[in-house]
Amino acid sequence: MFTTTTHPPARTAPPPGRSRRMLGVLVAAALVAAGIGTAAAAQAAPVLLSQGKTVTASSTESADYTPASAVTDGNAGTRWASTPSDAQWLTIDLGATAQVEQVVLTWEAAYGSGYQIRTSDNGTSWTSIYTTTTGKGGKETLDVTGSGRYVQLLGTKRATGYGYSLWEVQVYGTPGGTQPPTGTCGTTNVAQGKTATASSSEQGAGTAAGLAVDGNAGTRWASTFADNQWWQVDLGASQSVCNVTLSWEGAYGKAFRVQGSTNGTTWTTLSTVTNGTGGTQSIAVSGTARYLRLDLQTRATGYGFSLWEVSVKTTGTPTPDPTTPGPDPTGPADGKVRIAGSQGNWALLVNGQNWVTKGMTWGPAPAEFPQHAANLKAMGVNTIRTWGTDAGSKVLFDAAAAAGMRTVAGFWLAPGGGPGSGGCPNYVTDATYKANSMNDIVSWVTAYKDHPGVLMWNVGNESLLGLGNCYSGAELEAQRTAYATFVNDAAKRIHQIDPTHPVTSTDAWTGAWPYYKASSPDLDLYGLNSYNAVCDAKATWIAGGYTKPYLITEGGPAGEWEVPDDANGVPDQGTDQQNADGYTRAWSCIKAHSGVALGATLFHYGNEGDFGGIWFNVKPGNNKRLSYYAIAKAYGGSAGAAGVNTPPTFSSMTVANSGAVVAGSTFTVNAAASDPNGDPITYNVLLNSKYINDSGGLAPATFTRSGTTFSVTAPQTLGVWKVYVFAEDGKGNVGVETRSLRVVPPAVSGTNIAKGRPATASSFDPYNGNFTPGQATDGDYATRWASNWADDEWIQVDLGSVRSFSSVQLVWESAFGKGYRIETSNDGNAWSTLTTVTAGDGNVDTLNTAGSARYVRVHGTARGTAYGYSLYELGIYS
């Protein structure tokens, strides 16, 4: 988790001032007026090229208050600020190639003492036109000479402990470069039926982004009720756009921009509207774009933005975009797989032909692969990723080759899996572990090096990240360097045995790339597992100056570790539609880094219908999810074509009183689903207790249904559960939605006189959460006391004076008491047994036993588990 330190803004904005360049223009004008001008004075003055242009940055201190766009908005009171580290950058897209003559930097107090000004024609390859290590801050006017479409400030050294912060960046020069072609504006709507995405859709309203280009004037896209939204469409190829017509619903846009892009990442503003009137708006534009975006800034109503249809007209014919960047995809069918091309313009070639990696990670046993090959082909998949390679891999390799697919064949190294799995070997000193691992790699590379089902070898998975769970400080750095060195040794050994397949290594963060860059030069490319952050990979790669391409080896919607918690304090899992959109977004960002990102093996083709399976699997229980079809559409598979039978979809799901469902009671779930093909729906309800006992399984719930209302019997075990509603169409498809609920104990009549009273215990566990005794009398079912792992343990509460009571309620955590006594005392020394339990079963014990005492004690005699005793609450009711 990262934290951001926000420093206070400057009290006043710096005065605008005049640049030396502008002073020169005024002097030249005076000379001309006097009749003594020179030839240079007659030349056109440089113009401000940057104002209002698109800006991107490596980071922002606050997306709301210090965005990158502030440096070109012409407002001296707004600013961009980066996160507090040296290696940061800010890039302005001028929209077309220009001659750059001057750059004016107006710094806030957090300035850069070291930085470069760079230019680029493509946003990837950069030329430095100014370098300093003695920046002074304030307003710096830099006379430069260069050309390019993109101008970048690359920070190398901060002058303060904060990041870099700029009020304005002004780029002056002379426009130049190829202009968009002209011609007669056509009448064909090239957006109809194309893939559309949006920043949001109004929840539960059936207003997805694609409904604005479906050709149906009765359907619409609608955003959430907020300003600063966007909607965009992929036209499929770069085209000369001449007109955009917007058919607004009543919720229209007052201020917005029409933007175009050839890569889906860098945007050029084609038209700006500040006084939108709604209705049907026909907007003349001029530019070349594959992607057309509406940057919707200000709403005209209290609702969101809503469009019945968006129509895009063009001149001429589309310019096809290459499927894969890189060299000419011709070459011998020699059986080789290799990476060809040069810096920033690579391609993966198989038998001399471009291979865009459109892949899935594989979950079931290798022996099951042949029966799934047809479904994978229907998705458009050409690549499978595995994490281990052994004798059982042959059946998968054989079936993949027969289906025209190939495999990223993995080798597992501990402590893989990010959090750490398989122990913590010492890569500095453990020669035996490294030798055994190398022998395993050598054996199976030798066995399969000529197999046509192999695409590349992948050494290790998330171990550089995982080592952080084994070591710290200087030792961690030494281990990570030693691990990357071992990976390099493996790559060299693989290349000796098999020179016809590339070698990569996967980690779960781009923070691994510097280790690979320094210590694994023999890798042919980098592997990256990235979910919600996948769209940041391009910027990180550019900023880091890396010289190897990469493959996204896992990707998809935001993971459990990336989403905010819901009202019950557990990760808020996205809906079916949001998960499907996550795959679409990931693939769009991968394609946007053409020539460097060589494709992806998205996560995950699995059949498991458990907790993790419902979060990520595209085919749990052999039923296809919306995500299956979203990936098929992205990959161009037949299953993504129009008219294919797709799963039921949910428009809403709620759990009544989800924060306090009484154990064993009946609670209500409302889940509205419909089937797009009119198929009858069969429903099922299941429960999961991962956030209580780390169980992955889904257990069938007892329920009845009336329309969209499900009456479900709550579990007996306390804590936060997940409830799932499955909607199957009988055609091999399933929709799944899930929400959380907190199960609480049944109410007890009377007043809990133990609540807030001091408690003591024979022991408590200080190692796994500091579970002190007072947490059993604080009235909070989310906190608990836990004892040492022994039978003879106790907890007692001091009621302050002798009090009469009628019942005692014990709310156990999973570590419960099978045998225990309820004891009472008036002085805390002499104890009497009030009741004895010998067959406790955990959950909630409500004991209708009356007594009168100052002290009440629960004295454990036999644990129900191997752990100690653990109580969420000890309640005594009068």
Side-chain angles (χ1 to χ4, degrees):
M1 182 174 67
F2 298 91
T3 57
T4 300
T5 301
T6 303
H7 59 87
R11 294 183 181 273
T12 58
R18 287 187 176 183
S19 69
R20 286 177 291 170
R21 173 65 63 183
M22 186 57 68
L23 180 62
V25 171
L26 295 174
V27 171
L31 291 173
V32 172
I36 56 175
T38 63
Q43 294 178 353
V47 297
L48 179 58
L49 304 170
S50 54
Q51 191 156 315
K53 294 300 193 295
T54 301
V55 189
T56 54
S58 53
S59 66
T60 57
E61 182 183 74
S62 167
D64 294 326
Y65 301 108
T66 58
S69 59
V71 302
T72 59
D73 64 0
N75 183 347
T78 62
R79 65 184 176 94
W80 164 71
S82 77
T83 54
S85 63
D86 286 330
Q88 303 292 327
W89 54 261
L90 182 85
T91 300
I92 301 173
D93 179 359
L94 302 178
T97 300
Q99 300 300 313
V100 179
E101 301 174 41
Q102 187 181 78
V103 177
V104 180
L105 307 177
T106 304
W107 293 99
E108 194 249 0
Y111 68 95
S113 60
Y115 59 87
Q116 296 180 32
I117 304 297
R118 310 197 298 179
T119 59
S120 172
D121 290 324
N122 56 16
T124 302
S125 301
W126 295 91
T127 299
S128 179
I129 60 174
Y130 180 86
T131 300
T132 184
T133 57
T134 57
K136 303 301 183 184
K139 187 167 187 176
E140 295 186 282
T141 301
L142 314 174
D143 292 318
V144 296
T145 300
S147 67
R149 171 176 172 169
Y150 303 90
V151 177
Q152 181 180 85
L153 181 144
L154 176 65
T156 56
K157 183 68 174 179
R158 293 167 294 148
T160 73
Y162 302 106
Y164 302 91
S165 183
L166 285 154
W167 296 106
E168 285 289 300
V169 176
Q170 296 169 300
V171 179
Y172 292 90
T174 305
T178 305
Q179 300 300 314
T182 59
T184 303
C185 199
T187 59
T188 302
N189 178 10
V190 298
Q192 188 167 319
K194 297 300 196 298
T195 300
T197 53
S199 54
S200 67
S201 292
E202 183 180 347
Q203 187 172 7
T207 53
L211 296 176
V213 287
D214 64 354
N216 183 350
T219 61
R220 64 186 175 98
W221 165 70
S223 75
T224 54
F225 298 179
D227 291 331
N228 298 314
Q229 303 290 317
W230 57 262
W231 177 96
Q232 73 183 48
V233 61
D234 179 357
L235 303 178
S238 293
Q239 311 192 42
S240 301
V241 181
C242 56
N243 178 272
V244 176
T245 300
L246 308 178
S247 298
W248 292 101
E249 193 249 2
Y252 66 95
K254 186 69 173 176
F256 58 91
R257 295 186 296 180
V258 180
Q259 298 179 310
S261 173
T262 57
N263 58 15
T265 302
T266 53
W267 297 89
T268 299
T269 297
L270 307 179
S271 180
T272 299
V273 176
T274 58
N275 59 346
T277 57
T280 299
Q281 285 184 274
S282 180
I283 303 169
V285 297
S286 179
T288 299
R290 169 173 175 169
Y291 302 89
L292 196 289
R293 170 179 281 196
L294 302 177
D295 179 21
L296 303 161
Q297 298 163 324
T298 306
R299 296 166 292 155
T301 74
Y303 299 100
F305 300 90
S306 182
L307 286 157
W308 295 109
E309 283 293 302
V310 177
S311 173
V312 181
K313 309 291 176 55
T314 62
T315 61
T317 57
T319 302
D321 293 321
T323 303
T324 298
D328 183 7
T330 59
D334 53 11
K336 294 181 179 179
V337 181
R338 59 186 179 276
I339 294 172
S342 56
Q343 176 71 14
N345 193 37
W346 291 289
L348 184 65
L349 303 184
V350 176
N351 288 325
Q353 301 295 309
N354 277 335
W355 184 276
V356 184
T357 302
K358 299 178 179 180
M360 291 297 297
T361 57
W362 174 254
E368 295 182 33
F369 185 84
Q371 64 190 7
H372 292 277
N375 278 322
L376 288 159
K377 290 292 287 185
M379 293 178 73
V381 168
N382 64 8
T383 304
I384 298 298
R385 183 200 171 194
T386 67
W387 290 267
T389 304
D390 55 23
S393 301
K394 186 177 186 303
V395 63
L396 187 150
F397 293 165
D398 288 347
M405 302 181 202
R406 289 190 175 239
T407 307
V408 178
F411 292 106
W412 189 264
L413 293 174
S421 175
C424 292
N426 189 312
Y427 282 93
V428 176
T429 63
D430 195 340
T432 300
Y433 177 81
K434 291 189 287 186
N436 290 339
S437 298
M438 187 69 78
N439 288 339
D440 184 63
I441 292 169
V442 167
S443 296
W444 297 116
V445 170
T446 302
Y448 295 123
K449 64 184 179 66
D450 298 318
H451 200 291
V454 174
L455 181 70
M456 66 180 71
W457 305 104
N458 190 3
V459 181
N461 180 73
E462 301 187 2
S463 287
L464 281 166
L465 180 63
L467 283 164
N469 293 279
C470 302
Y471 304 97
S472 62
E475 181 61 25
L476 173 59
E477 291 304 302
Q479 291 294 330
R480 284 176 167 166
T481 298
Y483 172 85
T485 301
F486 177 74
V487 166
N488 195 65
D489 292 342
K492 288 192 290 188
R493 190 72 181 94
I494 291 171
H495 284 141
Q496 292 170 355
I497 301 167
D498 177 12
T500 64
H501 293 98
V503 182
T504 187
S505 182
T506 285
D507 222 278
W509 59 323
T510 52
W513 288 356
Y515 296 97
Y516 288 142
K517 183 179 181 181
S519 302
S520 307
D522 286 274
L523 290 176
D524 299 290
L525 71 163
Y526 302 150
L528 176 65
N529 294 344
S530 187
Y531 293 81
N532 200 46
V534 68
C535 297
D536 299 333
K538 178 179 179 179
T540 304
W541 188 90
I542 293 170
Y546 296 105
T547 57
K548 300 285 177 74
Y550 63 86
L551 180 71
I552 298 298
T553 43
E554 289 179 23
E560 185 185 7
W561 60 96
E562 295 174 304
V563 298
D565 286 348
D566 66 12
N568 286 317
V570 301
D572 191 3
Q573 183 171 342
T575 65
D576 257 7
Q577 186 62 59
Q578 288 168 336
N579 281 0
D581 291 344
Y583 289 103
T584 303
R585 170 182 174 270
W587 185 244
S588 295
C589 291
I590 292 161
K591 291 194 301 177
H593 203 182
S594 59
V596 179
L598 303 182
T601 52
L602 297 176
F603 190 91
H604 180 57
Y605 191 98
N607 293 326
E608 303 90 342
D610 58 3
F611 173 89
I614 299 306
W615 201 297
F616 284 111
N617 286 352
V618 301
K619 206 166 175 289
N622 280 323
N623 281 317
K624 303 180 185 74
R625 301 277 297 279
L626 277 177
S627 298
Y628 174 96
Y629 293 97
I631 296 170
K633 187 172 184 179
Y635 285 173
S638 60
V644 172
N645 191 294
T646 54
T649 58
F650 286 85
S651 59
S652 64
M653 180 178 175
T654 58
V655 177
N657 195 30
S658 63
V661 175
V662 175
S665 69
T666 298
F667 67 97
T668 300
V669 176
N670 283 291
S674 61
D675 189 88
N677 310 104
D679 299 323
I681 301 175
T682 300
Y683 294 93
N684 204 356
V685 180
L686 300 101
L687 294 161
N688 168 264
S689 58
K690 174 182 170 63
Y691 297 114
I692 299 171
N693 53 19
D694 203 31
S695 171
L698 272 58
T702 300
F703 73 96
T704 59
R705 181 175 73 90
S706 177
T708 62
T709 300
F710 300 80
S711 297
V712 187
T713 301
Q716 290 289 344
T717 301
L718 303 188
V720 178
W721 289 74
K722 296 290 291 291
V723 59
Y724 299 79
V725 179
F726 281 56
E728 299 183 27
D729 65 357
K731 301 293 179 64
N733 298 309
V734 64
V736 184
E737 293 290 298
T738 180
R739 299 290 186 273
S740 73
L741 64 144
R742 183 179 295 278
V743 176
V744 299
V748 180
S749 60
T751 301
N752 181 5
I753 59 176
K755 183 178 178 180
R757 298 302 305 167
T760 55
S762 55
S763 67
F764 70 92
D765 179 357
Y767 304 108
N768 299 302
N770 198 25
F771 301 123
T772 52
Q775 295 180 89
T777 57
D778 61 1
D780 185 350
Y781 294 113
T783 62
R784 61 188 174 96
W785 162 71
S787 76
N788 286 339
W789 297 3
D791 283 330
D792 189 23
E793 300 288 341
W794 54 262
I795 180 172
Q796 68 186 46
V797 58
D798 180 358
L799 301 178
S801 62
V802 175
R803 303 287 300 273
S804 297
F805 54 90
S806 58
S807 60
V808 175
Q809 186 181 70
L810 306 180
V811 181
W812 295 102
E813 194 250 358
S814 55
F816 66 96
K818 181 179 179 181
Y820 59 88
R821 299 190 300 267
I822 304 297
E823 299 174 332
T824 59
S825 174
N826 288 333
D827 60 7
N829 294 310
W831 294 90
S832 299
T833 297
L834 189 62
T835 188
T836 300
V837 174
T838 59
D841 59 359
N843 298 319
V844 180
D845 290 345
T846 302
L847 308 172
N848 295 317
T849 179
S852 178
R854 172 174 176 171
Y855 301 92
V856 178
R857 181 162 75 181
V858 180
H859 195 146
T861 57
R863 291 169 291 157
T865 72
Y867 303 102
Y869 303 94
S870 185
L871 281 166
Y872 284 117
E873 284 297 302
L874 163 56
I876 301 170
Y877 291 84
S878 63

